[in-house]
Amino acid sequence: MTARLNLDNIQGLVARGYRGLSYARFTVIAIPGPDAGHAALSWLLPRITTAGKFTADSALHVAFSAAGLRRLGLPDGVIAGFSAEFGEGMAGPDRSRFLGDVEGSSPRFWDWGAPQGSPADAVVLLYAATPEILGRRQAELAGCLAAAGIHQVTVLDTVELGDNEPFGFHDGISQPVIQGLSKGARGARALPAGEFVLGYPNAYDQFTDRPLLPASDDPRHLLPRDPAGSGAADLGRDGCYLVLRQLEQDVGAFWEYAAEATRRPDGSYDPQARTALAAKMVGRWPSGAPLIKAPDNDDPRLRDDNDFGYHHTDPDGLACPRGAHIRRMNPRDSLDPAPGSEQSLAVNDRHRLLRRGRPYGPGTAGTAADDDHAIRPARDDSSPARGGTGLHFVCLVASLARQFEFVQHTWLNNPNFNGLYDDTDPLAGSRDGRGATFTAPGRPVRRRYRGLPQFVRTRGGAYFFLPSISALRYLDQLPAGAVSAPAAPPTTR
Ligand code: HEM
């Protein structure tokens, strides 16, 4: 049975990507102590957009890191009820290794979120319909933060590129459909809400771990009670994890690689072959049309098409290579042990991400067909550049380990993904000495493209928790050290 969600208690970012609010800015802040944190939270709380209420011109959200929750006065014993990955933080040494944030992507080089820099205690996400509205909201926020004595660690600006990401491809097409929260096409596979919102049954029909407090720690009954019936106050319910990663894209290197690899025998550039190779790497054409349905040429009529599987139509990856970005990030029905079966789809269901990212930087000068892309020099690998162009990658999940980290580690950065043996994700994979090959199956022979440069580097990032409205109210009234200990040890996945 579909669980009924409390939409007025859930931050609206879970329900909407705000396509109509084209302008966005994410402000990462460091909270000096509980008083400053509470002053800011009291100001933010009435302004937060919920899933139940949408204002047409702007939206505001706030999420906290484990350190940020601690600075609001939440004791370590309660923070331990969140997942271990969240507690360690994205820049922790074990997390960096696991996520492939090494060499040029290492936190050592990050502009924000690095252990040696200012703490990324919280992020305020602002969305607006026009640049003027965004400017006004940002000025109001800056005023509140200054009055509270809160330091802005970085303000992550975004850029409006239509629906494109900086390599020039239509992005944001495929999203999971969530029971009770989002509508999909007829017959679309809907996932249980607990895959994205804590405190509801997940794909295992269990409740994902979250902090549960003795009811005595919530005498004003601000928090909902544990739906599993323990009587504990549920700090996690109606909230979820928010992954924020600043992924810098080397647009010149991407298109130069595709152009060089597809030169004609006489040495001249072949723009069509170049775009076709780039599309093979993505799994969609620049318009968004999926290769599985448009294998030979772009077809803008299919730009939003998301109604396909892989196994029955293209088991060998002749149309959409098995290592293409979208086929890795959401293999749909092509996972072992029984590709094409319900079992395969069910395994895939456990690793879905709700993506909410926005591009930043000057973006692409033109489209993927712009000849300029072929001749811009690649960046010098030895000097990781600052700023630049890329994606402020945001995804929302109920389990950092089983969803975001699994996809990043086991699918994106795995050179042995799905029968391959030296291929990480051609777009965003870490090369790290291995994985610099892209295999495009073909008849009579496959093509192997070697020496792929690192097109994407991590420049900053943090794990945050996007609390429910009731959890924010609870945090707001929390005197430092007020909560005793978690009510129940985590038992579920
Ligand atoms: C700068 C880096 C990245 C770029 C330029 C990029 C670009 C794209 C594009 C163009 C699409 C196709 C549009 C769509 O299906 O919505 C896509 C899909 C997707 N990407 Fe990325 N991406 C990047 C990084 C990542 C990362 C790091 C992850 C996860 C760890 C990820 C997960 C996904 C997922 C889940 C899909 C949807 C696949 C599907 O459902 O078919 N992407 N990406």
Side-chain angles (χ1 to χ4, degrees), residues 23 25 57-58 128-140:
Y23 302 88
R25 211 168 278 162
D57 71 353
S58 66
T130 67
E132 292 72 32
I133 298 173
L134 184 65
R136 273 205 303 277
R137 299 277 180 272
Q138 184 73 33
E140 290 162 10

Side-chain angles (χ1 to χ4, degrees), residues 226-246:
D226 174 13
S230 69
D234 198 334
L235 189 69
R237 188 172 161 101
D238 293 327
C240 66
Y241 294 103
L242 184 152
V243 176
L244 173 58
R245 280 164 80 71
Q246 181 174 346

Side-chain angles (χ1 to χ4, degrees), residues 75-78 213-214 216-217 474 481-486:
D76 285 345
V78 179
L213 316 175
S216 55
D217 278 340
Y474 181 82
V483 175
S484 42

Side-chain angles (χ1 to χ4, degrees), residues 370-420:
D370 179 353
D371 259 345
D372 245 20
H373 291 311
I375 47 175
R376 263 191 268 161
R379 196 178 53 217
D380 171 6
D381 238 30
S382 61
S383 59
R386 302 256 142 189
T389 293
L391 194 63
H392 290 311
F393 176 88
V394 174
C395 77
L396 305 179
V397 291
S399 167
L400 287 171
R402 175 163 64 76
Q403 293 169 292
F404 170 67
E405 289 206 345
F406 179 93
V407 171
Q408 172 80 18
H409 173 84
T410 311
W411 288 351
L412 188 113
N413 276 336
N414 179 3
N416 304 119
F417 174 80
N418 206 355
L420 300 165

Side-chain angles (χ1 to χ4, degrees), residues 151-213:
H151 168 56
Q152 299 187 29
V153 175
T154 184
V155 178
L156 302 173
D157 233 325
T158 69
V159 64
E160 150 71 332
L161 297 178
D163 288 331
N164 284 4
E165 53 71 40
F167 288 145
F169 287 79
H170 182 189
D171 199 4
I173 305 164
S174 176
Q175 296 284 12
V177 178
I178 306 169
Q179 290 169 13
L181 205 60
S182 54
K183 292 197 181 75
R186 255 159 75 105
R189 203 175 167 84
L191 298 179
E195 284 298 296
F196 302 97
V197 188
L198 291 168
Y200 297 88
N202 60 22
Y204 293 90
D205 208 18
Q206 294 182 10
F207 293 98
T208 304
D209 292 344
R210 65 213 182 281
L212 298 170
L213 316 175

Side-chain angles (χ1 to χ4, degrees), residues 255-275 371 374-375:
W255 286 105
E256 188 184 62
Y257 182 88
E260 290 297 334
T262 53
R263 269 184 199 263
R264 298 188 185 98
D266 68 2
S268 61
Y269 285 120
D270 182 343
Q272 271 177 338
R274 181 196 59 190
T275 302
D371 259 345
I375 47 175

